């Protein structure tokens, strides 16, 4: 097991989760390929997307069936849209200790503010990245909120929004 996957597995244990990391036979660069390999709806894949908000990392866990709306993020966070940028691979690695395509919701060097797509609550079980493109773990929406300290939010294109509490 790769060091990054072990770090995620250890973080899950430390956070009181009994989720087991599963190594997939092939990398899962998209929600559709991950869903096909684990046998779940694409909407039950919790994609990890990292943004830079004025240089600070923001992790958005979004349903594999959605696209994040940066205009909506700006409204939720109470910042101008131009202050939110999709993070480049170097920024993602620095902020999370993981590479694009395998970012987990936990196991980062420092806590990362996290928003969680409220649409993920529609699924009994979710699958999230576990540190590498071929590693995932199964969880639930309540557990994902608990282990990340994340804030449920409507982050997808076309959904309503309510401004979050500033941090």
């Amino acid at each position: 097991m790769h060091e990054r996957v072990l770090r995620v597995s250890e973080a899950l244990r430390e956070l009181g989760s009994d989720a087991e990391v599963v190594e997939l036979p092939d990398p899962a660069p998209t929600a559709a390929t991950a869903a096909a390999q684990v046998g779940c709806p694409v909407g039950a894949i919790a994609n990890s997307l990292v943004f830079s908000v004025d240089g600070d990392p923001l992790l958005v866990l979004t349903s594999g069936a959605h696209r994040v709306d940066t205009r909506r993020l700006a409204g939720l966070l109470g910042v101008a849209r131009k202050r939110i940028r999709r993070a480049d691979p170097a920024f993602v690695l620095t902020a999370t200790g993981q590479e694009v395509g395998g970012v987990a919701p936990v196991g980062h060097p420092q806590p990362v503010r996290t928003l969680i797509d409220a649409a993920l609550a529609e699924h009994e079980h979710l699958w999230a990245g576990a540190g590498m493109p071929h590693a995932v773990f199964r969880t639930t929406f309540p557990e994902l909120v608990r282990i990340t300290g994340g804030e449920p939010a409507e982050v997808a294109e076309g959904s309503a929004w309510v401004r979050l509490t500033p941090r």
Side-chain angles (χ1 to χ4, degrees), residues 92-109:
V92 172
L93 183 59
T94 299
T96 67
Q98 301 156 5
E99 294 179 358
V100 172
V103 174
V106 297
H108 311 139

Side-chain angles (χ1 to χ4, degrees), residues 13-162:
R13 295 297 150 269
E14 290 170 7
L15 293 163
S17 173
D18 61 359
E20 295 294 327
V21 171
V22 175
E23 292 196 41
L24 303 173
D26 297 304
T30 67
T33 57
Q37 289 188 65
V38 299
C40 74
V42 72
I45 299 296
N47 281 336
S48 296
L49 304 175
V50 179
F51 293 86
S52 173
V53 182
D54 290 336
D56 292 325
L58 173 70
L59 176 61
V60 179
L61 302 175
T62 187
S63 166
H66 289 160
R67 291 181 54 100
V68 171
D69 183 343
T70 55
R71 183 171 286 121
R72 179 168 311 289
L73 284 183
L76 289 167
L77 300 171
V79 301
R81 183 177 183 201
K82 66 182 179 181
R83 294 173 52 191
I84 299 173
R85 297 272 183 253
R86 185 79 180 262
D88 65 39
F91 185 93
V92 172
L93 183 59
T94 299
T96 67
Q98 301 156 5
E99 294 179 358
V100 172
V103 174
V106 297
H108 311 139
Q110 301 294 323
V112 176
R113 183 174 187 186
T114 303
L115 299 182
I116 303 171
D117 187 347
L120 288 167
E122 298 171 9
H123 301 278
E124 182 178 358
H125 293 102
L126 306 172
W127 290 88
M132 295 292 289
H134 66 281
V136 294
F137 68 94
R138 191 172 91 158
T139 187
T140 64
F141 185 79
E143 180 175 69
L144 196 57
V145 171
R146 182 183 63 77
I147 66 177
T148 63
E151 303 164 81
E154 301 287 342
V155 299
E157 293 176 345
S159 55
W161 63 271
V162 175

